[in-house]
Amino acid sequence: MWGLVPLFWPLLKPSGAVEILAHRMVWSLAVVVIALLVVRRWAWVRELLAQPRKLGLLVVAAAVISVNWGLYIWSVNTGHVVEASLGYFINPLVTIAMGVLLLKERLRPAQWAAVFIGLAAVLVLAIGYGQPPWISLTLAFSFATYGLVKKKVNIGGLESLAAETVVLFLPALGYLVWLGISGELTFGAAGPGHAALLAATGVVTAVPLVCFGAAAIRVPLSTLGLLQYLAPVAQFLLGILYFHEAMPAERWAGFGLVWLALSLLTWDALRTSRRTRARAETLRRAEAESQAQALAQAEAQAAIRTQSPDAARTSLAAGGE
């Protein structure tokens, strides 16, 4: 669904990117509230209100994801689908860099190599464009920042989305009211079908997130990481094959370096995952053997206690021999 969403935003013209973003915020809250009513999950609201720091972080998350959403919609509707897809290819590299700089995480050699290859890719693209690929970089850094903030907030996906949309609801609604007063609101002016599509932005936002949350608890993390590359791959292919965007040689070179970096990251993640599973299996077997030996000793001692004193002495003597 995330990979195919570039096909959806052009359907909302003549609405501008900011109006589409405002509708996305407003209608997302409606969808999330319905979902919370279905699952009857409200206890988190009281806990969140008692933690001002988490509330502040959620405000930051809401602001950052608004930048990401708005720029992405604008990029698709102005013919920059390929560059937008590059932003989500770069995002894992930016996330790793943030982990090192802000969280003082330590990288393995393959991860360092991937980060430096990613920097080389940005340099190649900047030379090719004549300027840094600002759309890609803004999308990558905003989404990486969003992920970092969400990590620190540490609440469920549905609950977090609900809190963020509550923060965004009033500014978004106020903007739509202002558009209506100034006569520039397109909702309803382009027919009921267009209005229905604008209302559907809430579903387009919420359903993939709900599916992602459901998948996250059902598949291994390494598999989940690989699956997340499907969205920018699909967006990239749509940009070339459907929207017919240009791909000069320098852009192919930059993308090639990014894909090389991501391949290196994927290989390193899979290798580390296999080693971790192997260590866990070795520890499990050692623990099982230790428990079996302890059980055998306990059974032997119990058998000795149930024998007559003479037989017990004989058994002990035999054991000593």
Side-chain angles (χ1 to χ4, degrees):
M1 286 183 279
W2 274 326
L4 296 175
V5 78
L7 297 174
F8 178 72
W9 304 125
L11 301 177
L12 304 181
K13 294 178 180 180
S15 300
V18 180
E19 183 182 351
I20 296 172
L21 177 62
H23 278 288
R24 187 175 187 177
M25 295 171 179
V26 169
W27 295 107
S28 292
L29 180 61
V31 173
V32 168
V33 168
I34 292 171
L36 289 172
L37 287 172
V38 171
V39 299
R40 298 179 181 179
R41 198 183 301 165
W42 298 102
W44 61 274
V45 176
R46 185 178 298 175
E47 296 175 6
L48 183 60
L49 291 175
Q51 302 179 69
R53 182 176 175 276
K54 279 193 174 183
L55 278 173
L57 287 172
L58 282 170
V59 171
V60 173
V64 171
I65 200 63
S66 297
V67 172
N68 186 273
W69 285 352
L71 181 58
Y72 182 72
I73 294 168
W74 177 87
S75 301
V76 172
N77 284 357
T78 54
H80 296 89
V81 177
V82 170
E83 193 173 347
S85 74
L86 176 63
Y88 294 106
F89 280 125
I90 295 176
N91 175 65
L93 302 173
V94 175
T95 300
I96 289 173
M98 282 188 171
V100 173
L101 297 174
L102 302 178
L103 303 181
K104 308 302 180 184
E105 295 179 354
R106 298 181 65 181
L107 297 186
R108 295 182 293 274
Q111 292 175 312
W112 276 116
V115 170
F116 284 119
I117 292 171
L119 290 174
V122 171
L123 182 61
V124 168
L125 289 166
I127 294 172
Y129 282 120
Q131 62 179 8
W134 66 271
I135 293 175
S136 305
L137 292 174
T138 304
L139 288 173
F141 275 91
S142 60
F143 202 75
T145 303
Y146 179 70
L148 177 66
V149 174
K150 295 270 280 190
K151 180 179 177 66
K152 290 186 173 295
V153 172
N154 192 28
I155 65 173
L158 184 61
E159 292 86 345
S160 179
L161 180 62
E164 291 160 23
T165 49
V166 166
V167 170
L168 298 170
F169 177 78
L170 287 179
L173 184 62
Y175 179 73
L176 292 176
V177 169
W178 177 79
L179 284 180
I181 292 172
S182 60
E184 298 179 14
L185 186 70
T186 61
F187 184 79
H194 180 261
L197 286 172
L198 283 172
T201 54
V203 177
V204 170
T205 300
V207 172
L209 285 171
V210 172
C211 291
F212 178 78
I217 60 175
R218 288 172 169 81
V219 299
L221 191 60
S222 57
T223 305
L224 197 67
L226 289 173
L227 289 173
Q228 288 185 72
Y229 292 136
L230 289 177
V233 166
Q235 293 164 12
F236 173 77
L237 293 175
L238 282 174
I240 295 176
L241 301 176
Y242 182 80
F243 294 102
H244 304 294
E245 293 186 14
M247 279 295 292
E250 60 272 15
R251 183 177 279 192
W252 278 114
F255 268 83
L257 286 171
V258 170
W259 293 331
L260 175 61
L262 294 179
S263 299
L264 193 58
L265 277 183
T266 301
W267 169 78
D268 180 67
L270 292 175
R271 183 186 61 169
T272 303
S273 177
R274 282 196 297 268
R275 287 180 175 178
T276 302
R277 285 199 299 269
R279 287 195 204 101
E281 181 64 20
T282 300
L283 290 173
R284 188 191 66 78
R285 289 178 179 174
E287 185 178 356
E289 290 174 2
S290 176
Q291 290 176 349
Q293 290 176 357
L295 181 61
Q297 290 176 355
E299 289 176 349
Q301 291 175 357
I304 290 172
R305 284 195 295 269
T306 58
Q307 294 174 355
S308 64
D310 292 338
R313 281 194 294 272
T314 303
S315 296
L316 288 172
E321 293 173 358

